[in-house]
Amino acid sequence: MRRVATEAAQDAIPDVINNADYVHAWPALREDLKTRVANGSYVPRPPEIVEVAKSSLVTRPITRLAFTDRVYYEALVWMIADQIDSLLSNAVFSSRLADIRRRRSPRSRGVNAWNRFNDEALELSERYEDAVMLSSDISSFFEYVDLPILFDELGNVDDCADDVLQELRHLLYRLSDNSDSWGLPQGHTASAILSNFYLLPLDALLLRSPGVEHVRYSDDLKLFSDSDTILRLRLRECITILRSRHLNVAANKTRLSTGAEIADELTDARKDAVKYGLEVGDTSTPAQLRAMFDEATTATPVNERDVAFSVYRLQALGDPHALTWILPHLHEVPYLASLLVPYLGELFDQHPEIELAVQSLLTDSARNIYPDLEQQLLRMLARARNISEASYRAAWAILSDEQKASYVRAFAARCGARHIRPGDHAALRSLFDHATDPEVRRALLAALYESERAPNHLLGSLAASDPTLGTTCDYLRTRPRLPPP
């Protein structure tokens, strides 16, 4: 449960109070779950499918599971994870158990594993005098994992208990039946472990292919040989295997590279120099970092990897150089919001132009069209020490707009409560009394508590009259300090 709670805090769309109420109630929730599983009455709640930006045009689906369902899903997969991991070759770098056990943060272990994947790819390329590299990945991978194929093959794995597989099958099928999702729920460690297993036939083909070596990170694949003909033939075989599993390679991401092209993709001496310069305190390095950011943002399309590299380090330096590009262009790169908005938040108090730009974006219906970006901006405002009246009213307008996504309104509620103005407590209570959406109602209850308008007698009455708020009410009656949004 603790691992799930830690991972959930880093979700693309996190819970508005970091699941603190469910963590507090976990002993009772666990017993209730055990009882329902034992008597056959357990049914997962319908998941919420949230579309988050993948590019300036395309989105990808993230599956938000109820906390108890998420813990149960992870627990079931964990019971067969050792058996799955033991079948994987050293060519697979994503979601390995040693990394999961070592690092609680999915972000840090993902970066670490990706770097090792990239380093191994570079080492493989250097084994050939005239190396050829084939890069590819799979379109909409998690969505198109075929559950009947998955469970048929899991059933043939030694020591995968039948009762565990039966429960896991029941859970995943009911999640698909109760929503518009299919395949594996995206955004969860359990799904990443199962997806590694699903691609075992692909790994097996490549491991027995003479003259070819490969590395894989989830569905990201790199093959190496000294012959482009061999790689083309292997790719045809890979496509055949993938199609038999209802998967397809992404044609626009499948390419051959040779010579200097491989080095350009896998290494960047310039980044190494910048890293070293920052470590030794070279005074010329910040200027190099700014130049890298400028080049990355003037490229067509924007060079996402170089933006990530430079912004992360500019944030660590407290350098505002990137503001002049981010503020007018943020709505054009919503897929970079998880990187750019924390940078804005770090500089928020020292640079009033940030708040002015955020106000303008939030109130402009022509630009404010990505709910996940809107949520992150509201989260930043909620965390700020102070916000202007215009920002405050923008947050209230979003909170009051029933056409907005529930998770967006939830963060608007936290923002409104943390910066509550005199006279607005009654309006907050009225919104709560009339709210029907469970996620918004829970967030508004937290907002009432945070603005000191949720005494224990009210929480007790709500717990008795509204079972959907019982867990949250019981938690708030302990008078905790809520985690930051």
Side-chain angles (χ1 to χ4, degrees), residues 60 63 79 91 95 109 140 163 166 181 214-216 229 246 254 295 309 373 384 404 409 417 445:
R60 61 187 174 93
T63 307
M79 294 173 73
S95 303
R109 70 171 177 255
S140 303
D163 58 340
Q166 182 177 340
S181 71
H214 83 288
V215 287
R216 178 168 69 78
T229 300
H246 300 174
T254 302
E295 291 174 19
F309 179 89
L373 171 59
K404 294 286 186 179
R409 295 180 67 202
L445 178 58

Side-chain angles (χ1 to χ4, degrees), residues 426-448:
L428 194 64
R429 176 60 189 268
S430 177
L431 279 174
F432 172 76
D433 288 341
H434 293 91
T436 56
D437 182 283
E439 183 171 7
V440 174
R441 190 165 165 79
R442 174 169 166 264
L444 283 166
L445 178 58
L448 286 172

Side-chain angles (χ1 to χ4, degrees), residues 13-267:
I13 306 297
D15 181 70
V16 71
I17 57 172
N18 286 340
N19 294 298
D21 45 353
Y22 299 115
V23 171
H24 173 262
W26 181 245
L29 293 175
R30 181 182 58 215
E31 291 306 310
D32 176 67
L33 174 62
K34 288 167 64 177
T35 298
R36 289 187 289 132
V37 168
N39 64 26
S41 65
Y42 168 73
V43 176
R45 289 174 55 188
E48 179 186 10
I49 309 301
V50 176
E51 296 289 339
V52 301
K54 186 176 182 179
S55 72
S56 57
L57 294 174
V58 179
T59 61
R60 61 187 174 93
I62 294 295
T63 307
R64 301 181 76 201
L65 302 179
F67 186 76
T68 299
D69 297 331
R70 181 169 181 170
V71 173
Y72 190 43
Y73 178 38
E74 296 286 344
L76 288 170
V77 173
W78 199 252
M79 294 173 73
I80 58 174
D82 281 302
Q83 292 88 324
I84 290 175
D85 197 72
S86 68
L87 299 173
L88 303 177
S89 75
N90 291 333
V92 181
F93 289 83
S94 53
S95 303
R96 301 304 299 264
L97 288 194
D99 291 334
I100 296 171
R101 288 180 170 125
R102 186 181 304 117
R103 299 172 184 272
R104 282 197 171 186
S105 164
R107 194 170 300 161
S108 66
R109 70 171 177 255
V111 169
N112 182 270
W114 177 267
N115 288 338
R116 288 187 283 110
F117 162 77
N118 203 68
D119 290 345
E120 181 65 14
L122 180 61
E123 185 176 323
L124 290 179
S125 73
E126 293 172 347
R127 294 180 188 175
Y128 299 89
E129 185 173 347
D130 297 304
V132 185
M133 179 176 76
L134 188 148
S135 303
S136 188
D137 70 11
I138 299 171
S139 297
S140 303
F141 175 40
F142 286 85
E143 294 171 78
Y144 287 101
V145 170
D146 187 280
L147 295 182
I149 294 175
L150 174 67
F151 283 106
D152 182 60
E153 294 178 352
L154 282 171
N156 295 323
V157 176
D158 292 339
D159 299 325
C160 277
D162 289 342
D163 58 340
V164 173
L165 294 181
Q166 182 177 340
E167 285 297 322
L168 183 57
R169 182 187 293 108
H170 169 75
L171 172 62
L172 290 177
Y173 273 83
R174 292 304 291 263
L175 289 174
S176 295
D177 292 343
N178 292 339
S179 72
D180 293 329
S181 71
W182 58 90
L184 295 175
Q186 192 159 334
H188 302 280
T189 297
S191 295
I193 292 171
L194 293 175
S195 73
N196 272 340
F197 176 82
Y198 195 70
L199 290 183
L200 274 177
L202 181 66
D203 294 328
L205 165 70
L206 295 171
L207 288 170
R208 64 175 181 266
S209 298
V212 174
E213 296 181 272
H214 83 288
V215 287
R216 178 168 69 78
Y217 183 96
S218 187
D219 63 325
D220 199 316
L221 189 66
K222 296 189 185 298
L223 281 60
F224 298 88
S225 180
D226 56 8
S227 165
D228 67 318
T229 300
I230 290 177
L231 291 182
R232 291 175 191 274
L233 290 171
R234 292 297 85 77
L235 177 61
R236 287 171 58 184
E237 294 173 346
C238 290
I239 290 172
T240 298
I241 283 182
L242 291 172
R243 284 184 176 163
S244 73
R245 310 177 77 71
H246 300 174
L247 301 173
N248 284 294
V249 298
N252 63 325
K253 295 183 179 180
T254 302
R255 61 192 179 278
L256 287 170
S257 307
T258 60
E261 295 171 333
I262 298 175
D264 288 344
E265 181 172 342
L266 299 179
T267 66

